[in-house]
């Protein structure tokens, strides 16, 4: 096996691309290091996954408290629900930032699974990325986020926060209509000296922006596991698919 310190070292050569097979067939120091590295990356993924869940839990808790208080008395102001929208949006921003960090470690785990573990388990298949060792080495030297803030926001909106913010919007609309005379519900939406039409326009613009962020088509950069293929206990290999055709 070529020495990584050699100037002629090429990680894309067949010998280097099949490193997964050698790690399984032989007892190598690199294999032991990669096993510990994989275990460590899994731990970091689990930690950041829990941090994402904690943010969602706090957002749901705050939203439930605000909804309870807003409808506990007709005298309570409707804008407390708008404050709830702002607070949940802040949680959205926090969770999107955490999601970007979470994806860094998840991407490393997927890199190892796709190119090392999968190749070791089935040596007849080639690696997914011929230069995966170089990419992983560079990421260990200089870690970088893999997804943009816009993609992170879109992901968390589609998964969790569009539903939460939608509930708050419906609650606010119900609050300013059901608790007001039918002919002046727009005036009921006013906040202090801010006219009701202005408040409604701001709310509409805000939700249009959320929908644009969540649904705007873009190339996905996050390294997910379940984006391709249909549901099933086990996905058929390419060889099985070809044999059926």
């Amino acid at each position: 096996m070529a020495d990584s310190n050699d100037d002629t070292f090429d990680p894309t050569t067949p010998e280097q691309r099949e490193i997964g097979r050698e790690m399984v067939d032989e007892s190598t120091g690199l294999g032991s290091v990669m096993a510990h590295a994989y275990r460590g990356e899994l731990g970091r993924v689990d930690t950041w996954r829990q941090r994402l869940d904690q943010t969602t839990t706090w957002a749901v808790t705050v939203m439930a408290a605000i909804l309870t208080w807003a409808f506990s008395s007709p005298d309570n102001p409707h804008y407390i629900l708008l404050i709830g929208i702002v607070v949940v949006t802040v949680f959205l921003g926090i969770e999107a930032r955490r999601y970007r960090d979470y994806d860094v470690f998840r991407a490393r785990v997927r890199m190892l699974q796709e190119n090392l573990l999968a190749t070791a388990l089935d040596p007849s298949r080639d690696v997914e990325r011929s230069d995966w060792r170089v990419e992983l080495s560079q990421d260990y030297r200089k870690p970088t986020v893999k997804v943009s803030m816009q993609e992170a926001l879109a992901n968390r909106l589609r998964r969790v926060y569009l539903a939460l913010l939608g509930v708050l919007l419906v609650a606010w609309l119900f609050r300013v209509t059901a608790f007001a005379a039918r002919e002046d519900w727009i005036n009921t939406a006013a906040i202090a000296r801010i006219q009701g039409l202005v408040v409604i326009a701001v709310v509409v613009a805000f939700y249009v922006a959320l929908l644009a962020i969540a649904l705007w088509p873009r190339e996905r950069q996050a390294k997910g596991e379940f984006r391709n293929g249909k549901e099933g206990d086990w996905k058929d290999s390419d060889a099985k698919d070809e044999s059926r055709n």
Side-chain angles (χ1 to χ4, degrees):
M1 186 171 65
D3 186 0
S4 60
N5 293 324
D6 191 350
D7 293 337
T8 62
F9 171 71
D10 184 3
T12 63
T13 59
E15 180 183 6
Q16 297 297 332
R17 290 168 64 180
E18 297 178 0
I19 189 68
R21 302 180 181 90
E22 184 176 346
M23 287 185 184
V24 173
D25 295 338
E26 302 177 10
S27 178
T28 63
L30 181 57
S32 177
V33 169
M34 295 307 296
H36 289 292
Y38 179 70
R39 186 183 301 111
E41 295 297 344
L42 281 178
R44 299 173 84 174
V45 168
D46 181 63
T47 298
W48 280 97
R49 179 71 254 183
Q50 292 180 22
R51 296 190 70 183
L52 287 176
D53 293 340
Q54 288 174 355
T55 309
T56 304
T57 299
W58 276 107
V60 172
T61 302
V62 171
M63 186 186 75
I66 289 176
L67 286 172
T68 301
W69 189 84
F71 290 97
S72 62
S73 172
D75 297 329
N76 292 336
H78 69 85
Y79 58 78
I80 188 63
L81 292 167
L82 299 180
I83 294 175
I85 292 174
V86 173
V87 173
V88 172
T89 303
V90 171
F91 280 116
L92 167 64
I94 295 173
E95 187 160 327
R97 180 176 57 82
R98 290 182 174 181
Y99 176 81
R100 298 180 78 195
D101 294 331
Y102 159 75
D103 186 72
V104 170
F105 308 112
R106 182 179 63 174
R108 292 176 182 173
V109 167
R110 291 297 297 148
M111 183 75 77
L112 290 170
Q113 289 174 343
E114 290 176 336
N115 300 282
L116 177 58
L117 299 182
T119 304
L121 291 170
D122 184 7
S124 65
R125 302 281 299 274
D126 201 357
V127 295
E128 296 293 326
R129 303 175 71 91
S130 60
D131 57 347
W132 69 272
R133 294 172 65 192
V134 172
E135 292 186 21
L136 188 59
S137 173
Q138 291 175 347
D139 195 63
Y140 275 125
R141 294 177 187 276
K142 295 181 179 180
T144 58
V145 294
K146 309 300 185 293
V147 298
S148 65
M149 190 64 179
Q150 185 180 10
E151 181 179 343
L153 287 170
N155 179 281
R156 305 324 296 163
L157 276 169
R158 290 194 299 267
R159 291 295 184 90
V160 179
Y161 284 86
L162 270 183
L164 299 183
L165 292 169
V167 169
L168 286 172
L169 175 62
V170 171
W172 178 74
L173 290 174
F174 180 77
R175 184 66 177 76
V176 298
T177 55
F179 285 68
R182 188 168 300 178
E183 65 273 12
D184 64 350
W185 71 271
I186 294 179
N187 294 331
T188 305
I191 302 175
R193 296 183 179 180
I194 304 177
Q195 296 181 358
L197 282 176
V198 175
V199 174
I200 294 172
V202 171
V203 172
V204 170
F206 174 75
Y207 276 87
V208 168
L210 288 180
L211 289 173
I213 293 173
L215 304 178
W216 193 268
R218 65 179 61 84
E219 183 179 356
R220 187 172 186 269
Q221 300 297 324
K223 195 68 171 177
E225 296 93 334
F226 310 116
R227 290 292 174 174
N228 298 320
K230 297 180 180 179
E231 296 83 355
D233 294 334
W234 290 91
K235 291 185 175 65
D236 293 333
S237 64
D238 293 340
K240 290 183 179 180
D241 291 338
E242 292 175 358
S243 65
R244 292 178 179 178
N245 295 331

